[in-house]
Amino acid sequence: MPQSVQRSRRLAPAQEEERRELVSSLARTRTLINQAYSGFNMARDSDLIESYVFEINALQARYNYLLRRVKELEGAT
C-alpha cells in the first residue's frame, strides 16, 4: 500500500502516543546496538567478546519486538 494512503489513516491519540514511544525506543535501541558492535569490534578478551555477543543478541531481540509492535499498531487501524 502506498505510504500516502497509510498516512491518511489516523491512530487514536493513545495509540499515536504509544507509537511515538515505540519509535523513540527503536531509535535508542539502534544506538545501543551500534555501541555494542563498536565495543565488540574493539574487545580482545574472550569473556568481554562473549558478553558483547549476548548484549547484541538481547538488543536485537528487543529491536525486533519493538518493530513488530509498531507494525501491529499501524496495521490495527
Side-chain angles (χ1 to χ4, degrees), residues 34-76:
N34 288 336
Q35 290 172 350
Y37 271 113
S38 292
F40 173 82
N41 289 332
M42 294 183 350
R44 297 293 173 247
D45 181 78
S46 63
D47 289 334
L48 190 55
I49 290 169
E50 185 177 356
S51 74
Y52 279 117
V53 169
F54 282 109
E55 183 178 359
I56 290 166
N57 286 335
L59 288 166
Q60 286 178 330
R62 177 180 174 78
Y63 187 87
N64 290 338
Y65 164 77
L66 293 168
L67 187 59
R68 186 173 62 250
R69 283 293 300 133
V70 169
K71 289 179 180 180
E72 288 170 357
L73 192 61
E74 290 176 345

